[in-house]
Amino acid sequence: MTKIVLIEDNHEMRENIEEMLELADYQVLSAENGKIGLDLVKRELPDLIICDIMMPELDGYGVLYYLSKMPETRAIPFIFLSAKTERTDLRKGMNLGADDYITKPFEEMELLEAIESRLKKRQRFEAIMDSDDKWKGFQDAVCDLTGLDDLKDNGQIKSFGKREEIYFEGDTPKWLYYVKEGHVRSYKVTRDDKELVTGLYGAGEFFGYIDLLSQGAYNEFSVAIEGAKLALIAKDDFEKLILSNKDVSINFIKLLAGDIVEKENELVSLAYNTVRKRVANALSKLYLKYKEGLAERVEVTVTRDELASMVGTATESVIRILSEFKKDEYIKTKGSLITILDYPSLRDYRF
């Protein structure tokens, strides 16, 4: 049975929530103030914590602060309950590492849905950690398990048109970007004015964090491919969360490590693979970025010049190889639209 610790100083409120949770088949352990609640959590190690903010002895912020310092408790999902509705109060809780923030009064289903959502996200994270490929899904895990979930939802939303630049090389980083819709590519420009793609990002992915964390200027360009809707998270908010929440820091370190591994693989591919193999790899990567659900055929919008910049070759070579892949029925083309028909063959292409 799922174990929940409830920390609430109001006796009537505490009893009502206990009854509600027990009827939903949760085991509930309760405490009337933050100090008792802190000891209870350390002793019982529950699956989830629900905590009021304004309490005697030790307030909710203090409870979360101390729990975040202990390895055995800092990853337990934490939901704040409070009558405080100011945005600064919400931000303070999220910066400390809370997973959710529910204002009083609230509907029964609002709390139950929040609990179910946080437990499912924790289970998904644990499944990722138990899998052979721990990099897969970390973008969602980072977002779901920390205050980034709320930062991206409350961030400034901005839409970019087709081929519209998002930032330029040399610009000062001000935002962490989160893709809500569409696709984005980052690229470098060589001395002879040729583009080389350095990254592709789809819905649910962060980008721009490497230069943001390095405190330097952007060392690449970024552009919306067919158009994109982005959430812009302010640099100060992101840095506060990184510094105050170890889970966020650890997961972004893992994302950075994953980026390094991917870049190393791309360098090996450029050095040793044939142009045909590199085109096949690029199309496979686009397939995974654009794939939705169980669809076997995937349409991607990419110009021949953009594909050449991904592969690191001349546009003429890409046009010739696409023609060959079309004859082999791996793809079909119509203008800049490429429909990938046979992903396994492209993925496993050898020469």
Side-chain angles (χ1 to χ4, degrees):
M1 182 180 289
T2 300
K3 186 191 300 183
I4 296 176
V5 163
L6 170 64
I7 309 173
E8 167 63 65
D9 65 319
N10 184 289
H11 178 73
E12 183 178 354
M13 174 72 72
R14 189 170 65 250
E15 283 195 337
N16 288 340
I17 296 175
E18 279 183 32
E19 182 179 0
M20 177 198 313
L21 297 179
E22 286 170 353
L23 287 172
D25 206 26
Y26 292 114
Q27 179 186 355
V28 185
L29 306 172
S30 61
E32 62 267 28
N33 64 55
K35 187 175 180 180
I36 295 174
L38 184 62
D39 292 335
L40 184 60
V41 171
K42 289 192 288 187
R43 185 174 66 250
E44 296 292 337
L45 297 179
D47 298 294
L48 184 137
I49 301 162
I50 301 173
C51 185
D52 189 21
I53 292 181
M54 302 301 292
M55 295 183 294
E57 301 290 338
L58 182 67
D59 67 13
Y61 296 134
V63 172
L64 180 55
Y65 173 80
Y66 286 115
L67 292 178
S68 69
K69 298 297 181 182
M70 294 180 285
E72 65 272 22
T73 59
R74 67 186 181 196
I76 299 174
F78 193 102
I79 297 176
F80 268 133
L81 294 180
S82 180
K84 297 167 74 69
T85 58
E86 292 294 326
R87 185 181 178 85
T88 53
D89 297 318
L90 185 151
R91 183 62 53 81
K92 181 178 179 180
M94 293 309 172
N95 284 342
L96 283 171
D99 295 278
D100 214 333
Y101 190 109
I102 297 177
T103 55
K104 302 175 183 176
F106 54 85
E107 297 292 332
E108 178 179 329
M109 287 307 300
E110 182 182 1
L111 178 59
L112 293 176
E113 286 173 358
I115 292 171
E116 184 178 356
S117 173
R118 295 300 157 185
L119 290 173
K120 284 182 178 178
K121 288 172 180 177
R122 171 56 56 184
Q123 291 168 359
R124 188 160 72 245
F125 177 75
E126 290 173 348
I128 291 169
M129 292 304 295
D130 291 337
S131 69
D132 293 331
D133 183 5
K134 290 184 174 58
W135 304 122
K136 185 178 181 181
F138 258 117
Q139 294 273 15
D140 287 337
V142 172
C143 197
D144 287 342
L145 296 174
T146 70
L148 277 173
D149 194 14
D150 294 271
L151 286 183
K152 73 175 180 61
D153 289 339
N154 293 315
Q156 176 182 333
I157 304 300
K158 187 173 181 179
S159 295
F160 293 82
K162 184 177 181 180
R163 314 280 189 255
E164 183 178 352
E165 295 284 351
I166 298 166
Y167 56 75
F168 293 83
E169 182 180 13
D171 286 352
T172 300
K174 296 180 179 179
W175 310 97
L176 170 67
Y177 294 93
Y178 178 81
V179 184
K180 297 182 78 72
E181 297 175 10
H183 296 85
V184 172
R185 70 179 175 95
S186 57
Y187 65 94
K188 288 179 173 292
V189 177
T190 65
R191 290 182 179 178
D192 53 354
D193 288 332
K194 291 184 178 179
E195 294 182 5
L196 180 64
V197 172
T198 55
L200 288 172
Y201 310 96
E205 292 186 297
F206 293 102
F207 70 96
Y209 50 84
I210 294 178
D211 293 319
L212 193 66
L213 292 171
S214 69
Q215 302 296 321
Y218 285 118
N219 63 5
E220 60 188 9
F221 297 83
S222 180
V223 63
I225 298 178
E226 72 278 11
K229 183 178 180 182
L230 308 180
L232 281 58
I233 299 168
K235 179 180 179 178
D236 287 346
D237 291 336
F238 177 56
E239 287 181 342
K240 287 177 184 176
L241 194 57
I242 283 282
L243 293 172
S244 64
N245 191 312
K246 289 183 179 179
D247 284 341
V248 179
S249 302
I250 290 169
N251 282 314
F252 264 94
I253 289 170
K254 290 174 179 175
L255 284 177
L256 289 168
D259 285 339
I260 292 170
V261 171
E262 184 177 357
K263 294 296 187 294
E264 288 177 344
N265 291 335
E266 289 174 356
L267 286 172
V268 170
S269 176
L270 283 171
Y272 297 106
N273 287 337
T274 64
V275 176
R276 284 184 179 82
K277 172 62 175 171
R278 288 174 3 225
V279 173
N281 287 347
L283 291 172
S284 298
K285 189 173 184 177
L286 287 167
Y287 175 91
L288 294 175
K289 291 293 180 184
Y290 279 79
K291 188 175 187 296
E292 295 182 0
L294 300 176
E296 293 184 2
R297 295 187 175 190
V298 173
E299 294 182 345
V300 299
T301 303
V302 59
T303 67
R304 304 304 181 260
D305 288 338
E306 288 172 334
L307 192 56
S309 69
M310 289 182 63
V311 175
T313 191
T315 303
E316 294 76 11
S317 298
V318 167
I319 293 172
R320 175 171 48 81
I321 293 168
L322 288 179
S323 179
E324 293 173 3
F325 284 172
K326 188 175 179 180
K327 289 179 182 177
D328 293 331
E329 297 185 347
Y330 297 159
I331 63 170
K332 67 178 182 180
T333 62
K334 184 178 181 181
S336 62
L337 185 68
I338 299 175
T339 303
I340 299 173
L341 306 174
D342 191 350
Y343 166 68
S345 293
L346 291 170
R347 179 195 60 201
D348 300 331
Y349 197 85
R350 297 187 63 184
F351 302 111

